[in-house]
Amino acid sequence: QVQLVESGGDLVQAGGSLRLSCAASGRTFDTYAMGWFRQAPGKERELVAALSRSSRNIYYIKSVKGRFTISRSGAENTVSLQMDNLQPEDTALYYCAMTTGGRWDYVYKSSGEYNYWGQGTQVTVSS
């Protein structure tokens, strides 16, 4: 059984930074495609960033490009999301997700393609 646990959410001022981490138990991240999603109150869950199994391909939504960085550490069995220059519109509950999809260089963008989810970590950005 895979469990994903996020950490790192906090309250920060606009322009600040946070680093979210997602730790796995039961299975390593080394060969699985990963994604970070977020859901703000009253809005649908959206993909923020995603990493292919190979780590060669990365996707970011337009609004976070140049500010957020997704990365994985096989040795530490974690996937991180570095978030810089945070803005109030980044306020949301952030989830990490893992897919057992077999495509090596493919970035999975649909939430329905992800098999495992963490419980979420809250990011609040004040103006």
Side-chain angles (χ1 to χ4, degrees), residues 2-127:
V2 175
Q3 285 190 325
L4 305 179
V5 179
E6 303 97 334
S7 61
D10 206 343
L11 168 64
V12 296
Q13 290 188 332
S17 296
L18 284 174
R19 186 176 182 87
L20 305 183
S21 293
C22 178
S25 62
R27 191 172 285 183
T28 65
F29 284 144
D30 278 4
T31 57
Y32 294 97
M34 302 295 301
W36 281 97
F37 290 77
R38 67 185 180 188
Q39 187 167 20
K43 294 188 177 180
E44 292 187 356
R45 186 175 298 188
E46 65 175 352
L47 177 66
V48 176
L51 190 67
S52 66
R53 288 182 68 191
S54 67
S55 296
R56 283 196 290 266
N57 292 317
I58 296 175
Y59 168 82
Y60 298 100
I61 56 169
K62 184 177 179 181
S63 61
V64 308
K65 275 186 180 179
R67 300 190 297 123
F68 290 13
T69 304
I70 186 173
S71 61
R72 79 166 90 223
S73 170
E76 298 173 355
N77 204 29
T78 60
V79 173
S80 299
L81 186 68
Q82 176 67 39
M83 306 186 296
D84 298 317
N85 191 22
L86 283 159
Q87 299 301 313
E89 53 266 33
D90 296 317
T91 295
L93 188 61
Y94 283 71
Y95 300 89
C96 77
M98 184 178 81
T99 174
T100 55
R103 299 172 68 176
W104 191 244
D105 287 321
Y106 184 73
V107 177
Y108 293 84
K109 297 179 183 177
S110 169
S111 61
E113 295 177 299
Y114 286 83
N115 310 89
Y116 299 100
W117 293 82
Q119 83 290 347
T121 186
Q122 179 66 39
V123 172
T124 304
V125 185
S126 63
S127 57

